[in-house]
Amino acid sequence: MSDTKTDIGWPDDEFRTPEQEQAEEGLGVPAADQLSIEQINPLNAHLFAEHRWHDHFERLRNEDPVHFNELATAGRYWSVTKHEDLKAVEMDWKSFSSADGITLGPKITPELRDNPSPIISFIAMDPPDHREQRRAVTPAVQPANLLNLEPLIRERTIDVLESIPEGETFDWVDTVSIELTTMMLATLFDFPFEDRRKLTRWSDIVFAIPQPGGLVETQAQKRDEFIECVEYFSKLWEERKDKPGHDMVSMLAHGEATKDIPVAAHLGNLLLLIVGGNDTTRNTMSGSVYGLNKFPEQYDKLIANPELVPNMVTEIVRWQTPLAYMRRTATQDIEVGGKQIKKDDQVLMWYLSANRDEDVFENANDIDIERANADQHLSFGFGIHRCMGIRLAEMQLRILWEEILQRFERIEVQGEPERPLSSFVNGYTYLPVKATRK
Ligand code: HEM
């Protein structure tokens, strides 16, 4: 694969991301109360894989809400952990740019930007480029299109739920969450249905940390798989250029702002839509089952009153916060929450922490499906980059629970889940459950 003509400008095996550095060095991160405030570094992926991030962020919110760290691989960065400060950063896109990347790491250099790369997409752009490219794919997730999709989503959800085994333990993540979100993506892209798990694979490896025995073992393997992805989409792109449909590939191939850009350069936008629509919704589907089992009285309330499904969905999106943070980069010296941030410093907006902010959400660690202000959560971001797929994600989750409540007495969690080694994707890789039909 390495001598292929497709060049995606991917770093070699010598390259280590800050997250990788932390993951390698951070095995056995001490408990929050054993660290001085300066020693706390919430980026460590082990905190998430072991589900121990709560206390670390609580200390930051209480003692140092805009917190400084520095790493050899990433340089200077700040963690913004309170709801109000985070919104202020999101709103000020002129002072806090997305163009240098959305996860902690070195700047996106001009060479990287000129090379088609999986990390260059409109989520990592500022206006006007951001606005124009976003506009090209927005119709796919607008209400009129969603209304057309709803019956198909419901039908596929019912098929998946009808096929789950009765009375035996199975993995909810793979059997339901991955299957449903992958089907949905295949529909949005009009992607060959039999190959749909390729979408899941590409999505999974975007943020995978290369390590022996891991999802990918080396940077080179990751690059080769992305090349396969570009080549697959190039074929679809050529087909849709001649015969457009109503899918996202056709929209990019014919959109005013996007049609003249070579397809490999869209790898980022395509992966953005795949990851955006996959990991996040999938992990909320798993989080909803896990969370309602953690708070069984809330599950009882939902069974007794299915009209609570829409607010339950909003509350679960808050409680789960499937994307833990997004990064911005300061374009000038500027103050946030009393701290002096320097031009070029990175700023991590920890949605996961803002969604646990007790100044906004009472008993924030608990699920309350009737929470009156659940919709104040920041899981979808806030400013000009606010998630494009909100309605689609909420619709999928709502349909899933409407259909679960009709068919099952209960979906019961049988053991603790397994979680990915990532401080960016806050999710589940395995969740054992048993289902009892009505
Ligand atoms: C529960 C599910 C989801 C969550 C929690 C979520 C979360 C997010 C977050 C945090 C951002 C960045 C916001 C910011 O920087 O202010 C974002 C952006 C985005 N999301 Fe989602 N997302 C979800 C579902 C989806 C779905 C289903 C799609 C599919 C179309 C999608 C597509 C996108 C896109 C394209 C962007 C980039 C928007 C931009 O830069 O203008 N997301 N999402």
Side-chain angles (χ1 to χ4, degrees):
M1 277 299 268
S2 51
D3 60 352
T4 171
K5 58 189 181 325
T6 311
D7 179 4
I8 61 166
W10 190 250
D12 62 24
D13 277 335
E14 297 298 307
F15 176 85
R16 282 159 85 239
T17 62
E19 215 186 20
Q20 205 171 351
E21 178 189 335
Q22 285 279 284
E24 285 161 8
E25 287 162 16
L27 282 163
V29 195
D33 59 7
Q34 317 239 304
L35 294 167
S36 70
I37 195 74
E38 293 74 28
Q39 286 172 317
I40 292 192
N41 183 353
L43 185 84
N44 200 301
H46 289 280
L47 278 180
F48 294 83
E50 295 159 22
H51 200 49
R52 298 199 292 118
W53 48 266
H54 304 76
D55 297 345
H56 291 248
F57 282 107
E58 191 179 329
R59 277 202 64 193
L60 292 184
R61 284 193 304 276
N62 290 337
E63 296 170 43
D64 193 27
V66 180
H67 177 73
F68 180 75
N69 289 104
E70 192 162 8
L71 277 178
T73 42
R76 294 163 54 88
Y77 62 97
W78 299 85
S79 285
V80 177
T81 59
K82 294 281 287 177
H83 198 272
E84 199 181 333
D85 291 335
L86 199 156
K87 282 203 310 198
V89 172
E90 282 267 21
M91 291 308 287
D92 187 0
W93 59 263
K94 285 192 177 140
S95 307
F96 299 101
S97 165
S98 298
D100 283 325
I102 54 153
T103 55
L104 186 73
K107 272 186 166 222
I108 296 177
T109 58
E111 301 79 65
L112 206 52
R113 191 167 281 288
D114 288 345
N115 262 314
S117 152
I119 55 172
I120 308 296
S121 62
F122 63 83
I123 202 169
M125 289 177 192
D126 294 328
D129 298 349
H130 164 259
R131 195 181 312 122
E132 284 160 13
Q133 295 204 15
R134 177 173 165 128
R135 207 178 277 152
V137 282
T138 302
V141 285
Q142 273 178 344
N145 204 37
L146 293 188
L147 217 60
N148 290 334
L149 282 176
E150 178 155 354
L152 187 60
I153 295 181
R154 193 173 295 279
E155 194 183 302
R156 290 187 167 157
T157 305
I158 293 172
D159 285 350
V160 170
L161 291 179
E162 289 291 332
S163 74
I164 64 182
E166 164 102 47
E168 68 186 64
T169 302
F170 66 96
D171 176 17
W172 182 265
V173 173
D174 192 63
T175 313
V176 180
S177 308
I178 292 184
E179 191 56 12
L180 281 180
T181 39
T182 307
M183 279 179 171
M184 189 59 247
L185 278 176
T187 309
L188 282 179
F189 288 111
D190 196 8
F191 194 86
F193 213 59
E194 63 286 3
D195 280 346
R196 65 187 183 278
R197 285 279 172 142
K198 284 185 189 293
L199 293 171
T200 319
R201 171 75 190 163
W202 293 326
S203 165
D204 283 346
I205 64 173
V206 172
F207 297 111
I209 300 174
Q211 57 174 347
L215 217 51
V216 282
E217 303 224 341
T218 61
Q219 288 285 359
Q221 184 196 347
K222 203 163 160 173
R223 184 203 55 216
D224 286 349
E225 294 203 35
F226 283 139
I227 288 172
E228 187 202 340
C229 174
V230 184
E231 292 179 343
Y232 200 110
F233 272 107
S234 301
K235 249 179 45 214
L236 291 185
W237 183 278
E238 288 310 317
E239 283 168 29
R240 310 283 158 82
K241 250 199 143 40
D242 300 336
K243 262 176 83 185
H246 297 289
D247 59 282
M248 290 219 199
V249 180
S250 300
M251 282 175 197
L252 285 171
H254 292 269
E256 246 348 282
T258 47
K259 64 176 196 253
D260 297 324
I261 305 175
V263 63
H266 278 302
L267 177 62
N269 281 345
L270 290 166
L271 280 172
L272 168 64
L273 294 164
I274 298 172
V275 179
N278 194 31
D279 265 358
T280 50
T281 313
R282 172 214 302 184
N283 286 322
T284 315
M285 286 179 175
S286 303
S288 62
V289 169
Y290 180 65
L292 288 171
N293 273 265
K294 277 254 159 232
F295 296 90
E297 74 296 344
Q298 298 292 315
Y299 200 165
D300 293 341
K301 213 189 270 181
L302 186 70
I303 292 170
N305 185 4
E307 300 212 330
L308 292 173
V309 166
N311 204 60
M312 178 276 288
V313 165
T314 308
E315 170 68 349
I316 294 287
V317 174
R318 177 195 72 85
W319 182 81
Q320 178 60 36
T321 319
L323 289 183
Y325 76 88
M326 285 276 162
R327 162 195 161 189
R328 299 290 187 262
T329 307
T331 57
Q332 55 179 324
D333 291 359
I334 187 164
E335 193 194 299
V336 179
K339 294 291 176 76
Q340 201 53 53
I341 290 177
K342 289 195 180 140
K343 180 176 186 296
D344 292 333
D345 282 356
Q346 300 183 52
V347 178
L348 308 188
M349 308 178 296
W350 288 99
Y351 301 126
L352 168 119
S353 174
N355 284 341
R356 293 290 199 271
D357 188 341
E358 295 273 345
D359 289 342
V360 180
F361 305 107
E362 216 174 293
N363 300 322
N365 279 324
D366 297 350
I367 292 175
D368 171 3
I369 64 171
E370 291 178 287
R371 191 184 288 282
N373 69 346
D375 63 355
Q376 303 278 301
H377 74 71
L378 296 175
S379 300
F380 292 121
F382 194 68
I384 56 168
H385 287 278
R386 188 153 196 259
C387 176
M388 242 185 65
I390 300 177
R391 287 207 178 90
L392 175 61
E394 289 180 343
M395 180 169 88
Q396 283 181 270
L397 288 155
R398 172 176 56 79
I399 292 174
L400 173 63
W401 274 95
E402 284 168 358
E403 298 303 329
I404 288 178
L405 291 175
Q406 290 208 22
R407 282 175 180 71
F408 299 97
E409 293 287 353
R410 222 153 175 113
I411 312 286
E412 279 170 306
V413 170
Q414 300 297 307
E416 278 305 298
E418 289 167 17
R419 300 164 189 275
L421 180 66
S422 169
S423 55
F424 185 69
V425 176
N426 180 34
Y428 305 82
T429 49
Y430 174 70
L431 179 65
V433 301
K434 239 184 210 173
T436 323
R437 275 178 219 284
K438 278 191 167 169

